[in-house]
């Protein structure tokens, strides 16, 4: 919710002022079409400047993420999250206060974005770890797919809240989400429960029966039937005593977990696509369809509505097939032609635009959601760790941190490429989508081998039963 307003406000920081009436006493020339813009974004290179503001946040977020997960393993998550939420609310509000304080220095907005990017790295590794502590592998894809819809809900709220004030006092488009974020930080402090054992609940089982017997291959899932029948998580009898807690894993130790590198690099390109839509879709609609800033922001929320459905669908399918990589790969393959069609026919009518935005959102955000939630939790509790779940935050930080490099590159490239035409931006997104798909080929192959092995065992069991009868 605090990241989305900048994409809505962009169209207000620089737009054509020729159709607006200049206020009495304004010192701009009569034929000046930039008098109503907010300096320093009133220049001809405004897209590059806006891209730099986006990139300040995203680069800081990507760098900070690799460090944040290490702290997340070693600090109480409730305090860590609360501090991050309060500081995120502060810096988001400070960006909007630049409007009321009449600040026109680029360095101010860049500095605020850098600080905001750093403090927001406290969030994702910590929340994935908390949810991973509560839910085992049995239905993790579906549960975390539903839970992950909060990211799209936040994008939608950010767009709608920013849209209320974007045409009048755009500073409130940041101040209000900042206040809400800080308030939710206090809610987190008072009500977050990190471990099931803290309220006398049994911790979940992180591995299916087949994994315990060593029948699975190296990746987070290799057979369609390996976790069926796990509807109720079985309890583990380990006591959550401080002395019994295993040591946190090192950064390089987490990299050696099978599948971490491939999924991290895949997320780099998948997040590049997702965040380019996040930061540039309202401006694309504003420029191509010529809607108002508020209408563009409202219409762009359909992408996130599709993302909710895509995340849940990806989790459900991956649970049923136990094929996380294959699910991601299929959705990425379908996303490429869908983005191509949206660019060429998506703006020919409001109905087509709605359908295409929903479809693009589902196919683009589905793999992104699955990798950052269920896949991260699977790898953070991988069987090679021999029960040490202290790697969860570090693994999540590595995967999301690598993805955040793509998130930083996407909006930056969009800002550099968009002056040459929006078609080129979509070609860049399609290329990134294909690369994300290719990086999963080895894992998809391993999952297919696992399915074949599982089916062979099933046939062997059926034959044995037939002979026994």
């Amino acid at each position: 919710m605090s990241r989305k307003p900048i994409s809505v406000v962009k169209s207000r920081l620089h737009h054509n002022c020729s159709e607006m009436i200049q206020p009495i006493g304004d010192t701009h020339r009569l034929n000046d079409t930039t008098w109503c813009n907010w300096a320093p974004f009133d220049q001809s290179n405004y897209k590059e400047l806006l891209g730099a503001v986006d990139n300040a946040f995203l680069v800081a977020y990507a760098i900070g993420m690799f460090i944040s997960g290490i702290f997340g393993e070693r600090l109480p998550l409730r305090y860590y999250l609360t501090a991050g939420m309060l500081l995120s609310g502060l810096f988001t509000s400070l960006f909007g206060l630049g409007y009321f304080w009449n600040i026109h220095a680029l360095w101010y907005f860049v500095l605020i974005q850098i600080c905001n990017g750093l403090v927001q790295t406290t969030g994702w590794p910590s929340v994935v770890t908390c949810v991973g502590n509560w839910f085992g592998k049995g239905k993790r894809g579906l549960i975390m797919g539903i839970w992950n819809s909060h990211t799209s809900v936040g994008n939608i709220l950010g767009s709608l809240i920013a849209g209320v004030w974007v045409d009048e006092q755009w500073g409130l488009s940041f101040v209000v989400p900042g206040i809400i974020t800080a308030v939710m930080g206090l809610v987190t402090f008072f009500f977050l429960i990190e471990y099931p054992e803290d309220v006398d609940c049994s911790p979940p089982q992180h591995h299916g029966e087949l994994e315990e017997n060593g029948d699975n291959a190296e990746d987070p899932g290799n057979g369609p039937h390996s976790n069926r029948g796990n509807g109720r998580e079985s309890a583990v009898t380990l006591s959550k005593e401080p002395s019994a807690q295993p040591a946190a894993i090192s950064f390089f130790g987490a990299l050696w977990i099978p599948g971490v590198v491939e999924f991290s690099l895949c997320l780099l390109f998948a997040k590049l696509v997702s965040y380019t839509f996040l930061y540039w879709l309202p401006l694309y609609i504003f420029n191509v369809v010529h809607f108002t800033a508020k209408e563009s922001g409202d219409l762009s929320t359909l992408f996130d509505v599709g993302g909710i459905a895509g995340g849940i669908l990806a989790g459900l399918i991956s649970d049923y097939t136990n094929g996380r990589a294959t699910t991601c790969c299929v959705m990425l393959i379908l996303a490429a032609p869908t983005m191509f069609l949206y660019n060429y026919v998506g703006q020919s009518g409001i109905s087509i635009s709605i359908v295409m935005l929903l479809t693009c959102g589902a196919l683009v955000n589905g793999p992104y959601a699955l990798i950052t939630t269920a896949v991260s939790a699977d790898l953070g509790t991988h069987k090679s760790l021999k029960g040490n779940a202290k790697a969860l935050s570090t693994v999540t930080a590595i995967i999301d941190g690598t993805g955040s490099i793509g998130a930083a590159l996407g909006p930056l490239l969009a800002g550099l490429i968009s002056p040459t035409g929006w078609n080129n931006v979509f070609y860049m997104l399609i290329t990134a989508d294909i690369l994300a798909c290719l990086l999963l080929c080895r894992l998809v192959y391993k999952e297919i081998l696992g399915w074949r092995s599982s089916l062979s065992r099933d046939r062997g069991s059926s034959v044995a039963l037939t002979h026994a009868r």
Side-chain angles (χ1 to χ4, degrees):
M1 182 179 62
S2 63
R3 297 177 198 177
K4 185 67 175 180
I6 184 65
S7 67
V8 178
V9 173
K10 275 178 183 175
S11 56
R12 180 64 182 84
L13 296 176
H14 186 104
H15 62 118
N16 194 328
C17 308
S18 59
E19 297 179 359
M20 301 181 66
I21 300 175
Q22 284 184 306
I24 298 174
D26 189 87
T27 57
H28 290 83
R29 299 187 306 274
L30 291 177
N31 61 348
D32 187 354
T33 59
T34 64
W35 66 266
C36 63
N37 295 329
W38 191 268
F41 307 106
D42 56 346
Q43 307 300 318
S44 59
N45 64 338
Y46 73 98
K47 288 184 179 179
E48 287 82 356
L49 296 180
L50 291 171
V53 171
D54 290 342
N55 229 45
F57 174 92
L58 293 168
V59 170
Y61 185 82
I63 295 172
M65 184 61 74
F66 291 105
I67 305 170
S68 177
I70 297 173
F71 285 113
E73 299 286 9
R74 294 159 174 81
L75 298 174
L77 294 181
R78 187 163 61 93
Y79 300 149
Y80 194 49
L81 269 174
T82 299
M85 293 280 281
L86 292 174
L87 290 172
S88 295
L90 171 66
F91 288 117
T92 301
S93 298
L94 284 174
F95 192 101
L97 289 173
Y99 169 83
F100 298 101
W101 294 341
N102 203 30
I103 295 175
H104 296 277
L106 180 64
W107 68 263
Y108 173 83
F109 297 106
V110 169
L111 179 63
I112 293 299
Q113 286 289 78
I114 291 173
C115 294
N116 208 359
L118 290 173
V119 299
Q120 287 198 24
T121 60
T122 59
W124 197 247
S126 302
V127 293
V128 171
T129 299
C130 286
V131 177
N133 289 337
W134 277 87
F135 298 103
K137 190 175 179 183
K139 299 295 180 185
R140 183 180 277 160
L142 175 61
I143 290 169
M144 298 192 93
I146 295 171
W147 168 77
N148 186 66
S149 65
H150 70 265
T151 57
S152 295
V153 172
N155 287 340
I156 293 169
L157 287 175
S159 295
L160 296 178
I161 292 172
V164 173
W165 292 285
V166 65
D167 290 322
E168 301 297 331
Q169 296 179 315
W170 61 259
L172 290 174
S173 298
F174 294 90
V175 173
V176 174
I179 293 172
I180 295 173
T181 301
V183 170
M184 290 309 300
L186 297 177
V187 172
T188 299
F189 177 78
F190 287 111
F191 296 106
L192 178 67
I193 300 172
E194 296 179 33
Y195 298 96
E197 302 95 313
D198 291 342
V199 287
D200 297 327
C201 292
S202 299
Q205 180 176 319
H206 290 296
H207 305 290
E209 183 180 347
L210 291 178
E211 286 177 304
E212 297 297 337
N213 295 332
D215 288 337
N216 273 356
E218 59 180 279
D219 301 312
N222 289 314
H225 309 293
S226 60
N227 66 351
R228 291 184 189 172
N230 271 356
R232 180 177 299 175
E233 307 290 356
S234 60
V236 193
T237 57
L238 291 175
S239 170
K240 185 180 171 291
E241 295 295 332
S243 59
Q245 289 299 299
I249 196 171
S250 68
F251 178 87
F252 292 102
L255 281 177
W256 280 105
I257 298 172
V260 167
V261 173
E262 286 100 328
F263 275 115
S264 297
L265 293 175
C266 172
L267 185 64
L268 187 151
F269 292 104
K271 206 167 180 179
L272 183 154
V273 177
S274 180
Y275 266 64
T276 303
F277 274 100
L278 173 70
Y279 280 93
W280 287 92
L281 182 58
L283 187 62
Y284 170 76
I285 296 172
F286 180 82
N287 287 339
V288 175
V289 190
H290 306 297
F291 282 180
T292 66
K294 183 180 186 306
E295 290 170 341
S296 300
D298 291 347
L299 186 61
S300 70
T301 61
L302 293 173
F303 182 84
D304 295 299
V305 174
I308 294 174
I312 295 173
L313 184 63
L316 184 62
I317 294 172
S318 68
D319 275 345
Y320 181 77
T321 62
N322 204 20
R324 309 283 198 219
T326 306
T327 302
C328 291
C329 193
V330 170
M331 296 186 82
L332 289 168
I333 290 171
L334 295 174
T338 305
M339 286 188 287
F340 180 84
L341 289 173
Y342 172 67
N343 183 43
Y344 276 91
V345 303
Q347 310 306 330
S348 58
I350 188 65
S351 298
I352 296 176
S353 183
I354 290 172
V355 172
M356 295 300 293
L357 277 173
L358 290 170
T359 307
C360 279
L363 295 175
V364 169
N365 281 346
Y368 163 39
L370 186 62
I371 294 173
T372 54
T373 55
V375 169
S376 297
D378 287 350
L379 294 172
T381 55
H382 194 268
K383 62 178 181 178
S384 64
L385 297 171
K386 298 178 181 177
N388 180 3
K390 293 291 285 183
L392 226 170
S393 184
T394 302
V395 168
T396 302
I398 290 173
I399 292 176
D400 199 45
T402 307
S404 297
I405 296 173
L409 287 174
L412 174 65
L413 291 174
L416 296 173
I417 296 172
S418 58
T420 68
W422 286 104
N423 288 346
N424 295 329
V425 175
F426 275 87
Y427 293 146
M428 180 266 291
L429 296 178
I430 292 169
T431 301
D433 183 86
I434 294 171
L435 289 173
C437 184
L438 291 175
L439 285 164
L440 292 180
C441 286
R442 188 188 73 87
L443 299 181
V444 171
Y445 177 70
K446 297 291 292 184
E447 287 179 353
I448 293 172
L449 289 181
W451 290 337
R452 291 178 61 183
S453 175
S454 179
L455 290 172
S456 297
R457 286 196 300 267
D458 289 346
R459 290 196 190 99
S461 300
S462 300
V463 171
L465 285 173
T466 302
H467 286 309
R469 288 173 184 172

